[in-house]
Amino acid sequence: EPEVTQTPSHQVTQMGQEVILRCVPISNHLYFYWYRQILGQKVEFLVSFYNNEISEKSEIFDDQFSVERPDGSNFTLKIRSTKLEDSAMYFCASTLGGTSYEQYFGPGTRLTVT
Amino acid sequence: AQKVTQAQTEISVVEKEDVTLDCVYETRDTTYYLFWYKQPPSGELVFLIRRNSFDEQNEISGRYSWNFQKSTSSFNFTITASQVVDSAVYFCALVKREDYKLSFGAGTTVTVRA
């Protein structure tokens, strides 16, 4: 069964460093997302991506964040200069679109900023 | 804007008991989709069920069933004959038509004791 994959599973970085989180969505899906979950809290939407551009972003997704689909399979989230409060689980998700609204999530990347 | 409320923060049951999770939502849209996701201790988000706003028929799928009441904006989820493996955080979520962005509730932690 196709699944969304994410790498790395855990990333530790120092404050101010840049990180890139990687995702491979399900191959025939058209819409891609990043969500964030701070430990013990709810899952929050960051950004949606369709047709090679951002379709929507939340207030959390400020200038420090960027997304890219550099090739036909990968979907990346870059945090330019990490802050302590960026420590969270980051989930990538994808959906087929059209009348299919189910989003399938990757296993997540736990980002720890020290 | 959409809002999803899960008033129960934690539920603890003994194996084989039924568990019902409450979800109340707010939206101005007439067409929307409701979901339940499961987050086991391993951390991934697993899609369980989806319900369309224009279909109020309640269904059963194995040990899962759901009760969608548009008049009260509620979308409750029941696990019948709970098992220890059902121990997880359960999230209710909503997406409006042509948006594809999931709005999550705060989650309910279910603990099933042997």
Side-chain angles (χ1 to χ4, degrees):
Chain A
E1 187 176 318
E3 58 182 19
V4 177
T5 59
Q6 289 184 244
T7 53
S9 55
H10 191 191
Q11 172 100 43
V12 181
T13 190
Q14 289 191 329
M15 203 166 50
Q17 295 296 305
E18 175 184 286
V19 294
I20 297 177
L21 309 183
R22 300 180 194 281
C23 168
V24 179
I26 294 174
S27 61
N28 63 335
H29 283 189
L30 301 176
Y31 293 80
F32 314 115
Y33 309 84
W34 284 99
Y35 291 84
R36 180 180 84 173
Q37 185 182 32
I38 294 172
L39 187 64
Q41 297 187 22
K42 72 176 180 183
V43 181
E44 301 174 289
F45 167 78
L46 289 179
V47 65
S48 58
F49 193 85
Y50 170 70
N51 202 24
N52 278 321
E53 59 183 28
I54 291 174
S55 42
E56 190 171 352
K57 57 185 180 180
S58 72
E59 292 172 356
I60 304 167
F61 194 89
D62 61 22
D63 292 343
Q64 294 299 313
F65 291 88
S66 62
V67 289
E68 202 175 39
R69 188 154 160 84
D71 53 44
S73 58
N74 290 285
F75 179 51
T76 61
L77 174 70
K78 183 195 289 187
I79 309 175
R80 227 179 311 278
S81 178
T82 49
K83 308 186 193 80
L84 292 175
E85 53 265 37
D86 293 329
S87 295
M89 182 74 98
Y90 288 81
F91 291 102
C92 173
S94 68
T95 189
L96 184 59
T99 57
S100 175
Y101 284 83
E102 296 88 79
Q103 292 185 23
Y104 293 89
F105 284 78
T109 293
R110 177 160 298 286
L111 177 65
T112 303
V113 183
T114 61
Chain B
Q2 288 76 243
K3 185 178 176 184
V4 178
T5 302
Q6 294 179 253
Q8 304 152 308
T9 52
E10 291 185 38
I11 299 176
S12 181
V13 297
V14 177
E15 214 170 12
K16 295 184 185 165
E17 286 184 359
D18 294 349
V19 181
T20 295
L21 309 179
D22 298 334
C23 174
V24 173
Y25 61 91
E26 292 174 33
T27 181
R28 291 189 201 149
D29 299 279
T30 54
T31 302
Y32 50 89
Y33 304 84
L34 295 160
F35 302 85
W36 279 96
Y37 281 85
K38 175 183 178 181
Q39 186 175 42
S42 48
E44 71 271 25
L45 283 163
V46 180
F47 163 72
L48 295 178
I49 56 172
R50 164 189 133 173
R51 174 53 64 201
N52 310 330
S53 61
F54 42 87
D55 182 1
E56 286 195 69
Q57 183 179 350
N58 295 313
E59 289 187 25
I60 297 174
S61 175
R63 294 188 298 110
Y64 298 153
S65 61
W66 47 98
N67 184 354
F68 175 38
Q69 300 272 347
K70 205 167 180 178
S71 59
T72 56
S73 298
S74 66
F75 183 50
N76 298 337
F77 176 68
T78 297
I79 305 170
T80 303
S82 60
Q83 301 173 2
V84 173
V85 293
D86 296 326
S87 296
V89 182
Y90 290 82
F91 291 97
C92 181
L94 178 150
V95 66
K96 64 180 184 182
R97 184 175 152 192
E98 295 175 5
D99 186 353
Y100 301 108
K101 172 186 75 180
L102 280 166
S103 297
F104 282 87
T108 299
T109 301
V110 173
T111 303
V112 181
R113 308 185 308 275

